[in-house]
Amino acid sequence: MSAPTRLLFPLIKNCDVGRICSSVCYCHHQHRCCPPHNSFLKLGTETRLASAFSSNQRAQLRRYVTTPQRFYLTPPQVNSILKANEYSFKVPEFDGKNISSVLGFDSNQLPANAPIEDRRSAATCLQSRGMLLGVFDGHAGCACAQAVSERLFYYMAVSLLPQETLLEIENAVESGRALLPILQWHKHPNDYFSKEASKLYFNSLRTYWQELIDLNAGENIDVKEALINSFKRLDNDLSLEAQVGDPNSFLNYWVLRVAFSGATACVAHVDGVDLHVANTGDSRALLGVQEEDGSWSAVTMSHDHNAQNESEIKRVKSEHPKEEEKSVVKQDRLLGLLMPFRAFGDVKFKWSIDLQKRVVESGPDQLNDNEYTKFIPPNYHSPPYLTAEPEVIYHRLRPKDKFLILATDGLWETMHRQDVVRIVGEYLTGVHHQQPLAVGGYKVTLGQMQGLLTERRARISSAFEDQNAATHLIRHAVGNNEFGAVDHDRLSKMLSLPEELARMYRDDITIIVVQFNSHVIGAHQNKE
């Protein structure tokens, strides 16, 4: 591998395919390959139960939920599970001062799928300004989310570089000279890079920056346009690599797995007081704002691309003939199958039928024998039905903007956005604004009310158990009871569910909490 390749794509040793595409379930140490075709489409709970389990397994599930819990996790065991994937990064200071608008970030993941299908990434742009942070939610397996988490930030970074810098990089590669890295990654040890595919990835990226050199001569860079182009170009490269194939049998199978699986992405680019969020799919970004009275409010920085978004339904229908109006979105899913309306990969919703058949028939036996890859969606008349083009939202940071939360839909399925912001805000500041105790219409005795007040006091003290804001949020997402308090019994039961049942109760959860530097942001404001 050439020196430029090594500099652009740092490697993790012993990164074989099993470690790329699998993770440990911390309660039940069983490894599995990516999910079978019958669980690939983010199905609803009832449909998933009917399609993903046999009658015997459904009977086991009924027995499980009606019999006493076999396992009870102690608080230290719960903490061990919750903290296994946590990661924190603090932006370095210079001369005792932090000159960045970002103080640092906390991130964490909690698997429900085995292996986990979510991914996360964070990096500092070294040859431009700013920081990139993102969460990626895979479906039909983890391959696409893995590839996008490794590659997207490079495409975004080179899209934001001026032409002279791109020329310097190209000349260094051409002459075999060493060049400075484009990104400084901030990764947990469990967040892997694919060693085998790094050369392929580098060659595709180089082709992209060569085209940028030819196309963008002397033009000013529009950040929004650059982010949109980087998403679309990476998705195009994923598709092209799968069509062309590779003489290496492992790589040939890998690029096909990436293309036939899918992933949503929600990515933030922070440069000084300029915040851009590019979102494709149904992960979300939320800004935490502290008002003058100390209370917390939430500012939405992304929109879900699914059937709950009326403008998305209109967009999808407008891109296809009128006779498909009733079939293109059916049962709140794209073609009645896929929940997100935008995603990377998922070539089964993008390629023509002829192209799909040709690639599958000429591909490796593992692909040709897979019923999912040979399956053609119903009413498939005018592809592509799916796009990876992101929706980009810009926000100019203010001193009262304290943090940004990026999270996959596993969090938002369990918690309201206002509760999410309040919990993180109180955790970061240590100030808990007590609201009147609400019991949501439940009839409670005085003894039960006393218990709720005791739980509230315990919840305040428990904030100090967690050294990571993302971990603290996951604790609430999994363990909150009907009164909004963390219930250890509930937390223990949810974390000790067998892996074949965990996905029935929740999704993978991946969270990044970015904390902003109000002093630096205020100084920017005062200068202007």
Side-chain angles (χ1 to χ4, degrees), residues 50-331:
S51 63
F53 292 96
S54 66
S55 57
N56 288 337
Q57 288 172 313
R58 291 198 295 274
Q60 287 179 347
L61 174 59
R62 285 192 291 271
R63 285 198 299 274
Y64 180 84
V65 297
T66 56
T67 55
Q69 179 74 15
R70 294 180 186 176
F71 305 105
Y72 183 85
L73 299 174
T74 64
Q77 288 173 323
V78 166
N79 285 340
S80 178
I81 294 169
L82 290 179
K83 298 180 179 185
N85 293 312
E86 69 179 12
Y87 179 85
S88 296
F89 174 77
K90 302 300 178 189
V91 173
E93 295 182 349
F94 297 93
D95 296 327
K97 294 182 179 179
N98 189 325
I99 59 174
S100 170
S101 59
V102 175
L103 286 171
F105 70 87
D106 292 336
S107 73
N108 202 350
Q109 294 184 300
L110 183 67
N113 291 291
I116 186 172
E117 294 180 339
D118 282 4
R119 295 294 186 270
R120 58 182 165 176
S121 292
T124 301
C125 300
L126 295 178
Q127 299 202 33
S128 61
R129 300 179 305 176
M131 181 174 279
L132 291 165
L133 307 106
V135 294
F136 311 92
D137 188 351
H139 48 268
C142 56
C144 189
Q146 175 65 36
V148 174
S149 71
E150 292 184 42
R151 304 177 67 179
L152 180 59
F153 285 8
Y154 283 113
Y155 282 70
M156 296 174 76
V158 300
S159 297
L160 294 167
L161 290 177
Q163 190 188 39
E164 56 269 26
T165 306
L166 291 174
L167 282 168
E168 289 174 10
I169 293 172
E170 174 59 22
N171 291 335
V173 174
E174 185 67 28
S175 61
R177 289 185 284 111
L179 69 155
L180 293 173
I182 291 175
L183 298 173
Q184 177 191 357
W185 290 94
H186 311 299
K187 282 189 171 285
H188 187 279
N190 289 348
D191 300 336
Y192 303 113
F193 278 99
S194 170
K195 176 180 178 181
E196 293 83 357
S198 58
K199 186 175 181 180
L200 171 69
Y201 294 172
F202 175 81
N203 290 337
S204 295
L205 179 67
R206 185 183 180 188
T207 301
Y208 179 45
W209 80 52
Q210 288 171 337
E211 293 178 13
L212 289 174
I213 291 171
D214 295 336
L215 293 172
N216 298 336
E219 293 186 9
N220 291 326
I221 296 171
D222 180 274
V223 176
K224 180 177 179 179
E225 184 180 350
L227 299 184
I228 291 173
N229 289 341
S230 61
F231 272 61
K232 292 167 68 176
R233 178 52 181 256
L234 174 57
D235 191 54
N236 184 71
D237 283 353
L238 297 179
S239 174
L240 187 61
E241 289 160 5
Q243 294 175 50
V244 172
D246 194 281
N248 179 299
S249 59
F250 167 80
L251 277 183
N252 192 42
Y253 184 45
W254 173 249
V255 297
L256 288 165
R257 284 182 60 197
V258 169
F260 277 91
S261 58
T264 66
C266 188
V267 176
H269 177 255
V270 188
D271 181 5
V273 294
D274 297 319
L275 169 64
H276 289 83
V277 173
N279 182 57
T280 289
D282 51 10
S283 294
R284 292 182 191 172
L286 202 59
L287 195 64
V289 179
Q290 190 170 32
E291 306 297 346
E292 290 184 5
D293 63 357
S295 63
W296 295 95
S297 61
V299 175
T300 299
M301 287 296 298
S302 66
H303 301 124
D304 292 353
H305 300 135
N306 55 26
Q308 278 62 57
N309 184 336
E310 284 294 330
S311 63
E312 272 297 284
I313 293 178
K314 290 179 182 177
R315 178 190 66 80
V316 171
K317 289 184 176 181
S318 71
E319 294 173 353
H320 300 278
K322 193 165 182 65
E323 51 267 27
E324 293 188 61
E325 188 171 344
K326 292 184 179 179
S327 61
V328 69
V329 177
K330 202 170 183 179
Q331 296 177 326

Side-chain angles (χ1 to χ4, degrees), residues 1-30:
M1 190 186 305
S2 64
T5 307
R6 287 198 301 273
L7 287 164
L8 284 169
F9 292 93
L11 307 179
I12 302 296
K13 292 181 180 178
N14 301 322
C15 181
D16 57 30
V17 66
R19 297 176 66 189
I20 294 169
C21 299
S22 66
S23 62
V24 175
C25 176
Y26 296 100
C27 300
H28 307 274
H29 302 287
Q30 179 183 355

Side-chain angles (χ1 to χ4, degrees), residues 25-28 64 69-74 77-78 81 478 488-502 506:
C25 176
Y26 296 100
C27 300
H28 307 274
Y64 180 84
Q69 179 74 15
R70 294 180 186 176
F71 305 105
Y72 183 85
L73 299 174
T74 64
Q77 288 173 323
V78 166
I81 294 169
V478 179
H488 177 76
D489 286 346
R490 174 181 172 81
L491 196 55
S492 173
K493 290 174 183 177
M494 291 294 286
L495 294 178
S496 60
L497 282 172
E499 62 185 37
E500 63 270 16
L501 296 183
R506 61 176 180 83

